[in-house]
């Protein structure tokens, strides 16, 4: 059974940092593109960041550029999201996704999804 499990969420003050992790199991994920998404209460799920299977290509949603960094460790089947300079607008449930096609990640139609981890930023 293929699983993506997010961790690292929590409560942090504005201006602080968190590092999210997404561990994959059930099949090798080294050849899959990976992405992070978030969904705030009352809003649609939105794309946050993506990384190619090799790690050579990354992309970010405009509001997180310069603050968030996506990375991956294929030996550990894991992807990470380092989040710095957090603001209240970053409060959301963060999900990781995976798919063979990076274009699919932008369409939020991943073949594999995690269940999410809550990030709450207080003022």
């Amino acid at each position: 059974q293929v699983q993506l499990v997010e961790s690292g969420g929590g409560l942090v003050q504005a201006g602080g940092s968190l590092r999210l992790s997404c561990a994959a199991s059930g099949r090798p994920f080294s050849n899959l593109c990976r992405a992070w998404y978030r969904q705030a209460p009352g809003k649609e799920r939105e794309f946050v960041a993506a990384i190619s299977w090799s790690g050579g290509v990354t992309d970010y949603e405009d509001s997180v550029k310069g603050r968030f960094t996506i990375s991956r460790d294929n030996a550990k089947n894991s992807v990470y999201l380092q989040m710095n300079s957090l603001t209240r607008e970053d409060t959301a449930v963060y999900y990781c996704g995976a798919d063979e096609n990076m274009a699919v990640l932008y369409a939020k139609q991943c073949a594999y999804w995690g269940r999410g981890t809550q990030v709450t930023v207080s003022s």
Side-chain angles (χ1 to χ4, degrees):
Q1 183 178 0
V2 175
Q3 277 193 321
L4 297 179
V5 180
E6 301 94 337
S7 62
L11 175 64
V12 63
Q13 287 190 331
S17 298
L18 282 175
R19 186 180 188 235
L20 305 183
S21 300
C22 176
S25 62
R27 61 150 287 174
F29 275 74
S30 59
N31 65 328
L32 295 183
C33 303
R34 308 283 290 272
W36 287 97
Y37 305 83
R38 64 187 180 186
Q39 188 167 14
K43 295 187 178 181
E44 292 187 356
R45 188 172 300 188
E46 65 173 355
F47 167 84
V48 174
I51 188 166
S52 62
W53 67 270
S54 67
V57 177
T58 59
D59 196 16
Y60 299 90
E61 191 268 333
D62 285 346
S63 70
V64 308
K65 285 180 180 177
R67 300 189 299 123
F68 291 11
T69 302
I70 188 170
S71 61
R72 65 188 296 161
D73 184 340
N74 285 340
K76 296 182 178 180
N77 265 352
S78 293
V79 65
Y80 309 97
L81 187 68
Q82 177 67 43
M83 306 186 295
N84 299 328
S85 302
L86 286 161
T87 71
R88 292 188 63 182
E89 287 67 39
D90 296 316
T91 295
V93 178
Y94 283 71
Y95 299 88
C96 66
D99 200 280
E100 292 183 356
N101 189 335
M102 195 150 176
V104 170
L105 300 180
Y106 294 108
K108 297 175 283 185
Q109 297 177 355
C110 304
Y112 307 103
W113 285 100
R115 292 189 176 184
T117 185
Q118 176 71 47
V119 172
T120 303
V121 184
S122 65
S123 58

